[in-house]
Amino acid sequence: MSTVHAGTSEMDIFGRILQSERSSWDADGARAILALGFDRADEDRMKALLARANAGVLTPDEAAEIDNYERVGHMLSLMKSKARLALGKGQSDAK
């Protein structure tokens, strides 16, 4: 008999952790999460990688780097969504 598993990607697992009732945040913690974001150097690097991807000259290492940025961005989005819920808000306060 085969067992059906929930998604096992990093994002699937992290999403389940954040959705857990055990992961409630107080207002200060939620505001701290909403203040998080990529720094200027990372934003510049992501733009450079995007330009290389659009030009079709991305190396395999650069493609892996883009994947890393994408996963972290998704995790940050999940955390910010949970923080907004903790604050009782429906819209983003921070980028």
Side-chain angles (χ1 to χ4, degrees):
M1 178 191 297
S2 68
T3 303
V4 176
H5 294 282
T8 57
S9 73
E10 292 117 334
M11 290 310 306
D12 290 330
I13 296 166
F14 194 68
R16 286 192 299 275
I17 290 169
L18 286 177
Q19 290 175 358
S20 167
E21 291 181 16
R22 294 176 289 155
S23 65
S24 61
W25 299 333
D26 65 15
D28 288 338
R31 281 190 284 277
I33 295 295
L34 289 173
L36 295 176
F38 290 104
D39 66 17
R40 177 66 183 241
D42 285 317
E43 288 177 356
D44 290 345
R45 181 61 180 155
M46 287 184 278
K47 288 177 187 174
L49 290 168
L50 178 61
R52 290 183 55 76
N54 287 337
V57 295
L58 204 61
T59 68
D61 284 344
E62 290 170 330
E65 195 175 346
I66 285 176
D67 288 343
N68 291 339
Y69 277 115
E70 183 177 11
R71 279 193 302 277
V72 170
H74 284 299
M75 284 187 232
L76 185 57
S77 292
L78 285 172
M79 291 172 63
K80 286 185 174 191
S81 292
K82 180 77 175 189
R84 285 189 297 276
L85 288 172
L87 292 173
K89 296 181 179 180
Q91 295 186 354
S92 174
D93 284 341
K95 187 177 175 183

